[in-house]
Amino acid sequence: MTVDIFEYIPLIIGMEIGSLIALIYIIRRKKSGEPEHDERTEKVTGKAARSTIIVLMLVLLTILGGDLLSLIKLEAIEMLAIIIPILLISMVGFVSYYNSKEL
């Protein structure tokens, strides 16, 4: 059984982008000095998680619609390479957005 590493390049790139985004977020959070667990941060992350789920469902619906209409054909690895960075970008973006607003 041989494994073609080139099939996994989109997944590897997606995971690397996602890891980089998560690392940048962790470093920025540590430098900001905000408390990690209090009432406000729990409320912000909850709202961000709900919004991220909606974004993720819209992305999956778009991919499914494109597949059903034969506009795009993606393998599972390619879908993961798209979904992982979108998931992390939207979560970090929503957390930043809701942190800047007064809840």
Side-chain angles (χ1 to χ4, degrees):
M1 180 176 161
T2 61
V3 176
D4 187 15
I5 190 70
F6 295 110
E7 290 180 19
Y8 296 101
I9 287 179
L11 179 62
I12 293 169
I13 291 171
M15 289 176 62
E16 290 299 319
I17 291 171
S19 299
L20 182 64
I21 292 167
L23 182 65
I24 290 170
Y25 177 73
I26 289 170
I27 290 171
R28 284 184 60 202
R29 184 166 179 127
K30 294 287 183 188
K31 286 184 178 182
S32 71
E34 293 179 9
E36 291 196 25
H37 298 290
D38 66 348
E39 215 173 279
R40 185 176 192 286
T41 56
E42 300 238 347
K43 190 173 183 180
V44 166
T45 54
K47 286 184 80 164
R50 282 192 301 265
S51 300
T52 299
I53 290 172
I54 292 170
V55 168
L56 190 60
M57 288 171 35
L58 290 173
V59 169
L60 290 174
L61 183 64
T62 303
I63 292 172
L64 178 65
D67 187 46
L68 291 175
L69 296 174
S70 299
L71 298 174
I72 54 174
K73 292 288 182 189
L74 296 175
E75 298 292 324
I77 292 173
E78 294 166 338
M79 280 185 55
L80 285 173
I82 293 170
I83 290 172
I84 290 172
I86 288 176
L87 179 69
L88 288 169
I89 288 170
S90 64
M91 185 65 181
V92 169
F94 283 124
V95 166
S96 299
Y97 172 72
Y98 289 129
N99 264 336
S100 67
K101 287 181 67 176
E102 202 171 305
L103 297 179

